[in-house]
Amino acid sequence: MKQLKKDIILANVPKNRINLDIFEEIDSTNEFLKKNIQSNEFNLVASEKQTNGKGRRGKKWHSPKKGNIYMSISTKNTFKSGPLSLITGIICTKVLSNISQTEEIGLKWPNDLVFNNKKIGGILVEKDIYANEEKTIIGIGINFNINGEENWWGDISELKIEDQRNVIIAKITSEIIKIYDKDHFDWVNQWKNLCIHLNKEVKIFNHNSTAEDGVFIGIEDDGSALIKTESGMKSFKSSEISIKGVY
Ligand code: BTN
């Protein structure tokens, strides 16, 4: 396993716009950025391990030292180009596909990275105010090697790109900055092209734990899922979705 290396990452990002910190161990890269003053336009942090990695909806993110990516980017800037967590999903998928030369990594709504029908990565976007600074924090976890303690956990070990972790972190960061620099980004079509369950039957779990069946028709400008149910077309904001045949 190749270590995280500051010089390789900095060589592949617009380094005058970024402050970079690398840790051997940290509680959570998202929490670290929340508690630190923004020292450049973008602050980037990556760690070999997290002791309290956080997932969406209050879940934990299993974060052992196994050559995975645990990274977060924060900025005071506002993104004008669309729902950031979905856009970050597109970016991560494309960077991984490019480097591994496969098209087998896809997206499950809203922003799970999927390979071989298992979740291999996730994104946690948070907003926070610290010392009167409002900022957005984009947290990204990508599993290159994980023990499948849960049957829906997967990794991309078979793609054999773990040695390129530093370049992957740099490329994801650079692409996020490129999106920030744009006023408009045609993310809807790109997201749909990468979606693994477009026009397929899905089960939607609402926050109150009720479930509804339907066909996943597409996505709206704000990132909501459009589902055709027995009682008509419905739009769902950020509930959990479960798909037959996928975790
Ligand atoms: C999800 O539940 O799908 C989102 C997982 C996000 C995990 C990443 S790992 C780096 C960053 N720091 C955290 O504590 N969480 C995010």
Side-chain angles (χ1 to χ4, degrees):
M1 172 183 119
K2 288 204 173 139
Q3 297 293 308
L4 291 171
K5 281 263 165 29
K6 220 170 175 171
D7 55 338
I8 305 181
I9 298 177
L10 285 176
N12 289 282
V13 290
K15 59 172 179 255
N16 53 335
R17 301 176 74 180
I18 293 176
N19 180 72
L20 170 62
D21 287 298
I22 287 185
F23 293 95
E24 190 55 33
E25 179 177 317
I26 200 167
D27 54 349
S28 149
T29 53
N30 268 33
E31 288 303 311
F32 174 81
L33 287 181
K34 278 188 201 171
K35 289 183 237 127
N36 278 275
I37 300 281
Q38 193 71 30
S39 50
N40 203 335
E41 198 182 353
F42 297 90
N43 278 16
L44 167 63
V45 53
S47 182
E48 295 286 2
K49 171 182 175 176
Q50 293 184 124
T51 52
N52 197 16
K54 300 188 319 166
R56 288 175 59 235
R57 298 160 66 82
K59 290 185 186 154
K60 281 195 178 305
W61 187 256
H62 187 56
S63 313
K65 180 174 175 178
K66 275 181 170 279
N68 297 320
I69 286 181
Y70 312 113
M71 66 181 278
S72 301
I73 301 163
S74 68
T75 180
K76 285 192 274 179
N77 299 328
T78 342
F79 286 78
K80 303 180 270 298
S81 40
L84 194 52
S85 58
L86 278 80
I87 290 177
T88 304
I90 298 173
I91 290 172
C92 292
T93 309
K94 289 198 156 175
V95 168
L96 292 172
S97 301
N98 243 319
I99 292 200
S100 62
Q101 301 284 304
T102 50
E103 294 200 342
E104 286 163 51
I105 300 168
L107 287 170
K108 178 179 166 231
W109 186 80
N111 46 28
D112 286 357
L113 309 189
V114 179
F115 178 67
N116 284 343
N117 286 339
K118 304 230 176 186
K119 175 161 175 169
I120 57 102
I123 292 148
L124 177 66
V125 174
E126 301 184 279
K127 292 229 185 258
D128 202 61
I129 299 180
Y130 180 74
N132 285 332
E133 270 184 6
E134 192 178 333
K135 56 190 164 192
T136 303
I137 298 134
I138 308 167
I140 300 165
I142 301 172
N143 294 334
F144 291 75
N145 274 300
I146 202 106
N147 289 335
E149 281 172 38
E150 302 277 351
N151 63 5
W152 49 274
W153 290 359
D155 65 35
I156 48 172
S157 49
E158 70 179 72
L159 298 181
K160 305 262 176 275
I161 53 170
E162 62 268 20
D163 282 353
Q164 299 193 60
R165 214 165 34 134
N166 291 297
V167 173
I168 293 170
I169 291 173
K171 290 214 154 136
I172 291 173
T173 305
S174 302
E175 289 302 316
I176 288 177
I177 294 176
K178 272 192 207 157
I179 296 293
Y180 162 73
D181 289 340
K182 286 185 184 167
D183 280 332
H184 178 75
F185 175 57
D186 176 24
W187 66 272
V188 174
N189 282 328
Q190 296 199 34
W191 193 91
K192 282 204 223 158
N193 285 338
L194 295 171
C195 174
I196 57 163
H197 50 72
L198 194 64
N199 297 321
K200 292 199 177 143
E201 276 197 33
V202 297
K203 199 182 258 307
I204 285 273
F205 289 97
N206 293 310
H207 291 300
N208 61 7
S209 296
T210 54
E212 223 174 333
D213 292 311
V215 177
F216 192 100
I217 298 295
I219 192 130
E220 298 190 284
D221 283 349
D222 68 348
S224 302
L226 262 185
I227 315 271
K228 194 173 172 187
T229 69
E230 271 191 353
S231 50
M233 197 69 91
K234 289 192 184 168
S235 169
F236 291 86
K237 271 205 178 329
S238 71
S239 42
E240 288 285 343
I241 176 173
S242 118
I243 300 147
K244 287 169 193 153
V246 185
Y247 61 88

